[in-house]
Amino acid sequence: VLRKKGTVALHVMELWIPGQPKPKKRPQFNSKTHAAFTPRVTMREEALIREFGAKWVQEHGWSTPWEGPFTAQCLFLFPKPTDFWDGKEPGQNCGDLENLAKLIYDALQTVVFKNDKDLVGSSCDKAFSNTPGVLLRLKFYPTISKPQKPRKKK
């Protein structure tokens, strides 16, 4: 899947997910069965985010998840510390940026977009705010096929 530089997005999705952002937790392992499983906290967070994504899809009349290239911009807003003199800076003790984004992408996969492997660009930032949450902007682009080689005439 290719995206030509300067291509205009077909659709832009802006989604507000209220509440303190949480990172995706690592899988845990059952020592008796040796099977991996997703922690309940992660499953609950993904279900909540999935609901917001499904609502957006329904409101905009989409019948199937997007298939094709897309980009993502995430702004993770955390509650302001009560005392800025406690040594905290934006990003400390707020979770790994990649795991914060991974939770969002995994939750919206199959609901908003078919597969997060089609993500062709992303930017993520963390900040403090009076209103914690995640501001997500997805831009969906047309699929550009590789040019076909001309067939030889017989």
Side-chain angles (χ1 to χ4, degrees):
V1 177
L2 302 171
R3 184 173 65 95
K4 203 182 271 186
K5 192 172 184 173
T7 304
V8 177
L10 289 177
H11 303 283
V12 177
M13 170 188 187
E14 289 187 349
L15 183 63
W16 171 251
I17 303 165
Q20 179 160 340
K22 297 196 173 59
K24 182 160 184 146
K25 301 283 185 196
R26 292 180 181 266
Q28 295 178 347
F29 294 91
N30 183 319
S31 59
K32 293 179 183 177
T33 64
H34 302 288
F37 63 93
T38 303
R40 284 191 178 125
V41 173
T42 296
M43 291 173 62
R44 279 194 302 266
E45 287 299 315
E46 284 181 347
L48 178 69
I49 294 164
R50 201 172 291 117
E51 282 180 38
F52 284 102
K55 184 178 177 185
W56 185 93
V57 166
Q58 184 180 19
E59 287 174 357
H60 291 81
W62 288 23
S63 57
T64 58
W66 179 260
E67 267 189 86
F70 68 97
T71 60
Q73 293 174 307
C74 305
L75 178 58
F76 298 99
L77 299 170
F78 291 90
K80 285 185 178 178
T82 53
D83 182 9
F84 272 101
W85 297 108
D86 64 3
K88 282 189 180 181
E89 293 182 21
Q92 288 185 325
N93 303 322
C94 297
D96 181 281
L97 196 56
E98 290 177 4
N99 290 332
L100 289 162
K102 182 77 173 145
L103 181 74
I104 302 289
Y105 301 152
D106 286 353
L108 296 178
Q109 184 167 272
T110 72
V111 176
V112 176
F113 45 84
K114 187 168 183 178
N115 197 318
D116 64 359
K117 71 177 176 66
D118 293 329
L119 179 67
V120 295
S122 67
S123 69
C124 299
D125 294 298
K126 293 191 258 185
F128 289 129
S129 173
N130 289 328
T131 309
V134 179
L135 181 57
L136 175 68
R137 175 181 282 159
L138 299 176
K139 292 182 180 181
F140 302 95
Y141 296 91
T143 301
I144 300 170
S145 302
K146 289 183 180 178
Q148 298 290 326
K149 290 183 180 178
R151 293 184 180 192
K152 293 181 180 179
K153 293 183 182 180
K154 291 184 180 182

